[in-house]
Amino acid sequence: MPDRSGGGAGVSLRPARRIQRAAAAGTARGASPFLPWLVALVALSLMVSLEYSRYLFADSYYDLYAGRWIVQHGIPHRNVITVVAHGAPWIDQQWFAHVLYYAAWAAGGYPAVALLSSLVLTSGFAVLALAMRSRGVPPARMFGWTCAAIIVYLGNIVIRAQSFAYPLFALTLWLVVADSRAPRLRARTWLVLPVLVLWANTHGSVLIGAAMVALYAGYRAVAVRRGSHRAVLGYLALGAASALSVLCTPYGTGVIGYYKSVNLVAPALSHYVTEWQRPNPLYLVSMGFFALLIATVIAVAVAWRRGTRPDPVLAAIALGLLVLALTAIRNQAFFAFAGSLLAADTLARSNVGRAPALSRAFSRATAGVLSAAALTGAVLIATEPAGTFESLVPVRAIDAAATLAARDPGARVLADEWSSPPMLWLHPAMFGRVGYDARLEQFSVAQLRAYATFLTARARGWPGLLRGYDLVLVNRQQHGWLCTALTRLPGWRVVYSGRDGLVLERA
């Protein structure tokens, strides 16, 4: 008889135990062992992450200069960084991630920052692999489905605070789906609360995790209402605590203002920032997401035809994250975790005892090759000069603008989004003198639209934003047309022009 179990409250644990025994029997018969495939996966993820972490982006510089400010001055409460919105409330919800990145830089420079980011990202996929294995997924198949998730997250490999969200999300997902198989609330499920608290101090996507736990707890409280009242109260307490965990930051209830401001500017960001736009199969950063979505649907359909239904809790989580992913590219990676786990788990329960027959020698060779590649990548990162990490920003132009600004303490600088964050990191004296930075939630929709109009240099009245500024700094590689348009403006003279950027001074 095929296994028709789908998980959920009150379901017998016998199917899960049968899967584990079958997987163990497969290993004994010569199927691929678990440890080499786990090592291979960790090595592959680390190698890919290190390759993408050898460059700093706007968010990377923001993490560094915000972390430096916090270490020197404490938790911030007022905007002291930019001209626009100067003095406005600054809720640095990501403060702990900033401190960690700055501490890594203080310990080992840019290579240490890149290594920290890569290790954090890799740990998320290691947790996903362990979650798959705990549900009886064969090792080789675990490796394959986790690699599918890695492909989706390729567009998110940037040194930034969001990197910390992935392992914390993976842990939250694992704890929730593991609890869904138990007849009552397990003691270890309460570990989700410290995970959420840590997440609440590193990245705003904690709202996803808190909502997932709260909704699950509410569902289980209803599902076990005919059982003991203690179980119902336990799930209600878990749901309430998960919602309150979002407030467990130095700002307390004040952090709600941060989420409100992000929500207000989100529609405007979708017009100007790629990761805030909806996924499109024609976008390179979304191709992996749609491929995984199709593969997941096929896997669930195949298992369904064999008589196996998907775990209802896991399926509901994956569906909810799919809806979220379809609203913004930045959410694709969260679906990748749940989607790949759903596909691997459903197929594993429909193929009890049919583990891929890959030899131990093959798995160990794969682990050895990938481990050597990851070690080589780590050595290369450790020896990279600072210029490599800063190669995407106009460092010479930034230095020229900072030198001119030092001569006139009252001079203000309007820089593009590729120049202002590195300027604030490389020249701390520019705090309070730069128009905009990477903290987009600090600005109103009208201010963001005016800034975008200036950067495109095509709409009527685009030079209007220059009023009140004495210097203009532009990354030529990213805004070549803006550079050309600026050189034609009357009342401004070029003081630096190079392949990296352009600096103009008001005549």
Side-chain angles (χ1 to χ4, degrees):
M1 291 291 291
D3 173 21
R4 298 181 181 271
S5 65
V11 174
S12 171
L13 298 182
R14 291 178 181 176
R17 291 170 181 169
R18 190 163 61 248
I19 293 170
Q20 293 172 356
R21 286 197 299 267
T27 301
R29 289 193 301 266
S32 303
F34 169 68
L35 185 59
W37 284 114
L38 179 63
V39 171
L41 174 68
V42 169
L44 176 64
S45 177
L46 183 60
M47 179 181 64
V48 173
S49 300
L50 287 171
E51 180 61 29
Y52 279 83
S53 298
R54 60 182 66 247
Y55 305 104
L56 299 176
F57 291 81
D59 286 351
S60 313
Y61 291 105
Y62 166 42
D63 291 331
L64 291 172
Y65 68 70
R68 179 178 59 199
W69 174 266
I70 294 170
V71 170
Q72 296 176 353
H73 303 280
I75 300 295
H77 294 276
R78 292 287 172 182
N79 178 22
V80 297
I81 297 179
T82 60
V83 173
V84 180
H86 192 277
W90 175 17
I91 306 298
D92 189 12
Q93 183 271 331
Q94 305 172 129
W95 71 273
F96 190 51
H98 297 158
V99 170
L100 291 176
Y101 275 130
Y102 178 69
W105 177 85
Y110 292 144
V113 175
L115 183 60
L116 172 61
S117 178
S118 299
L119 289 174
V120 167
L121 290 167
T122 297
S123 66
F125 293 101
V127 172
L128 175 61
L130 292 173
M132 289 184 184
R133 187 56 181 160
S134 70
R135 297 178 73 86
V137 177
R141 193 170 293 162
M142 171 206 73
F143 177 83
W145 281 108
T146 310
C147 285
I150 292 175
I151 293 174
V152 177
Y153 111 114
L154 288 179
N156 295 274
I157 304 179
V158 178
I159 298 175
R160 57 179 177 174
Q162 186 168 325
S163 299
F164 289 92
Y166 298 131
L168 298 174
F169 174 78
L171 281 169
T172 303
L173 177 64
W174 188 5
L175 289 169
V176 168
V177 297
D179 185 85
S180 68
R181 284 186 163 184
R184 60 183 61 86
L185 180 63
R186 303 190 314 171
R188 71 182 66 176
T189 305
W190 289 97
L191 292 174
V192 75
L193 296 180
V195 172
L196 290 175
V197 170
L198 179 59
W199 194 351
N201 290 274
T202 51
H203 194 257
S205 57
V206 65
L207 294 180
I208 298 175
M212 181 173 68
V213 177
L215 291 173
Y216 167 73
Y219 156 71
R220 287 303 302 270
V222 173
V224 301
R225 67 185 184 279
R226 295 181 180 178
S228 66
H229 294 291
R230 182 178 180 182
V232 174
L233 292 176
Y235 278 112
L236 291 177
L238 177 66
S242 64
L244 293 175
S245 66
V246 176
L247 306 179
C248 294
T249 75
Y251 300 99
T253 56
V255 78
I256 297 175
Y258 167 81
Y259 294 113
K260 286 183 177 179
S261 62
V262 173
N263 185 60
L264 288 174
V265 301
L269 293 177
S270 64
H271 291 286
Y272 313 121
V273 184
T274 301
E275 72 170 1
W276 285 89
Q277 297 174 2
R278 294 181 178 180
N280 189 316
L282 300 180
Y283 291 170
L284 183 61
V285 294
S286 294
M287 291 180 179
F289 162 70
F290 284 102
L292 177 61
L293 174 58
I294 294 172
T296 301
V297 171
I298 293 174
V300 172
V302 169
W304 193 295
R305 290 192 62 182
R306 293 172 178 169
T308 301
R309 303 296 182 257
D311 183 304
V313 171
L314 183 53
I317 291 174
L319 183 60
L321 292 172
L322 173 61
V323 173
L324 192 65
L326 292 175
T327 64
I329 291 174
R330 62 187 286 116
N331 297 324
Q332 292 177 166
F334 296 110
F335 168 77
F337 282 87
S340 59
L341 180 58
L342 174 64
D345 172 65
T346 311
L347 278 181
R349 289 189 292 108
S350 69
N351 290 298
V352 176
R354 302 186 204 172
L358 297 176
S359 67
R360 291 175 177 269
F362 178 79
S363 61
R364 290 172 178 172
T366 303
V369 171
L370 292 176
S371 297
L375 180 60
T376 301
V379 172
L380 292 176
I381 279 287
T383 57
E384 287 284 7
T388 299
F389 293 95
E390 299 172 349
S391 60
L392 297 181
V393 300
V395 176
R396 293 183 179 179
I398 289 172
D399 292 342
T403 300
L404 288 171
R407 299 174 184 173
D408 181 4
R412 295 178 172 180
V413 180
L414 180 61
D416 65 16
E417 77 280 19
W418 284 87
S419 304
S420 56
M423 168 175 268
L424 290 165
W425 165 244
L426 297 172
H427 299 278
M430 298 305 300
F431 265 52
R433 303 175 65 184
V434 175
Y436 291 78
D437 70 346
R439 301 168 305 147
L440 299 180
E441 77 281 354
Q442 285 284 299
F443 314 113
S444 67
V445 173
Q447 291 168 338
L448 289 174
R449 287 175 177 169
Y451 191 41
T453 299
F454 165 74
L455 294 175
T456 57
R458 296 184 184 274
R460 194 172 186 179
W462 69 268
L465 197 64
L466 291 169
R467 288 192 293 269
Y469 293 96
D470 307 283
L471 295 168
V472 181
L473 168 62
V474 180
N475 186 327
R476 190 183 295 275
Q477 297 177 4
Q478 301 296 328
H479 297 288
W481 172 255
L482 176 59
C483 289
T484 302
L486 285 169
T487 57
R488 298 172 181 172
L489 281 181
W492 292 84
R493 64 186 182 90
V494 176
V495 293
Y496 174 85
S497 179
R499 296 177 59 184
D500 62 330
L502 178 74
V503 179
L504 294 95
E505 183 180 36
R506 188 179 293 276

